[in-house]
Amino acid sequence: MGAAAARSAAHALRSAIAERGSARMIAAAAPSQTEVYRALALEPDIDWSRVTILHMDEYVGLPQEAPQRFGHWLRAHLVNAVEPARFHEIGSELGVSDAIARYAALLEEGPIDLVCLGIGVNGHIAFNDPPHADIQDPEFLRLIRLDEVSRIQQVDDGCFATLSDVPTQAITLTIPALMRGGHLVCSVPGVRKAEAVRALVEEPIGALWPCTVLRRHPSCEVHVDRDAAGLLPLGL
């Protein structure tokens, strides 16, 4: 799964560099993306010196040095391996409003050629949690209160020891911000994601399962392993 997703992501980056001389990507920071990024770093003929990497969400309230911060995770699992031209982190140390305005401006500096994302157990993309996710949000970023299911997932993923350790707020890219990407590569491994993968295919598009909006994107690939695909209809 990771290798297949990486091949698709690599093609999007190479194409953008060939056409425009540079590429911009948004990368999710989650254990579900580990194998994708490991394989992507090994893909040949990507001129990473022409690639800018942004990410899609960050906790509010964690110390800057906390290892659970998504910016740190991305440095460890992708950025340090590929050495891109630029990596822009979301940081709220100078205030949430300023952080949102700064990052929105970065997103508007040019097209987003690639988005590498996952799906949460509750169907969230980035931290756009049901049932309040706004699939038509006019803004690029929001300060949100994390759904308890999303916070429990962080414990189950081994990122935090207990639920009380998980922050209750985060800054997240909105669904329209993610959907602006030219090519979306969504990687969803594991049996805990099987219900969300089923919903992605079968449920009506809407806020109860935010991932369903991916069906509207003209260039979105969803890569799953056998466990995550366990509830899909046979022959799909």
Side-chain angles (χ1 to χ4, degrees):
M1 184 209 71
R7 285 193 295 271
S8 180
H11 177 74
L13 293 176
R14 292 189 199 103
S15 296
I17 293 170
E19 293 171 9
R20 209 175 60 249
S22 64
R24 285 161 40 98
M25 69 176 288
I26 294 170
S32 62
Q33 306 304 301
T34 301
E35 298 302 325
V36 180
Y37 297 153
R38 182 177 291 129
L40 183 58
L42 298 175
E43 279 286 324
D45 303 321
I46 300 174
D47 186 352
W48 287 99
S49 70
R50 297 176 179 272
V51 178
T52 295
I53 300 177
L54 301 100
H55 63 126
M56 58 183 61
D57 41 28
E58 186 58 272
Y59 296 116
V60 172
L62 279 183
Q64 193 164 6
E65 68 277 7
Q68 296 94 341
R69 286 175 67 110
F70 292 134
H72 295 333
W73 191 95
L74 273 174
R75 286 189 183 276
H77 291 87
L78 178 63
V79 175
N80 292 345
V82 301
E83 298 183 351
R86 286 169 292 278
F87 172 49
H88 297 298
E89 294 190 52
I90 301 172
S92 59
E93 287 70 32
L94 299 179
V96 170
S97 296
D98 286 347
I100 287 175
R102 171 183 169 274
Y103 221 73
L106 288 171
L107 288 171
E108 291 189 289
E109 283 184 354
I112 299 298
D113 304 291
L114 169 68
V115 179
C116 291
L117 72 159
I119 295 175
V121 294
N122 62 358
H124 72 226
I125 52 177
F127 268 141
N128 296 284
D129 283 322
H132 305 296
D134 186 351
I135 64 176
Q136 296 180 321
D137 198 315
E139 304 296 333
F140 281 168
L141 293 98
R142 288 282 182 193
L143 173 66
I144 55 90
R145 179 164 292 277
L146 289 167
D147 179 81
E148 185 168 312
V149 175
S150 288
R151 295 177 67 232
I152 291 170
Q153 181 180 326
Q154 302 306 310
V155 178
D156 291 342
D157 284 346
C159 301
F160 293 88
T162 68
L163 183 61
S164 62
D165 295 328
V166 184
T168 59
Q169 291 185 306
I171 295 171
T172 186
L173 269 64
T174 62
I175 289 174
L178 299 175
M179 295 287 281
R180 288 177 69 240
H183 183 57
L184 275 55
V185 178
C186 183
S187 305
V188 196
V191 67
R192 289 191 296 121
K193 304 291 183 71
E195 176 62 11
V197 171
R198 181 208 63 78
L200 168 66
V201 175
E202 296 185 341
E203 294 296 326
I205 294 173
L208 291 180
W209 290 98
C211 60
T212 54
V213 74
L214 297 177
R215 302 205 307 259
R216 289 182 175 172
H217 197 279
S219 181
C220 176
E221 293 184 7
V222 179
H223 295 258
V224 299
D225 62 9
R226 290 183 183 275
D227 289 335
L231 298 180
L232 292 177
L234 293 176
L236 181 67

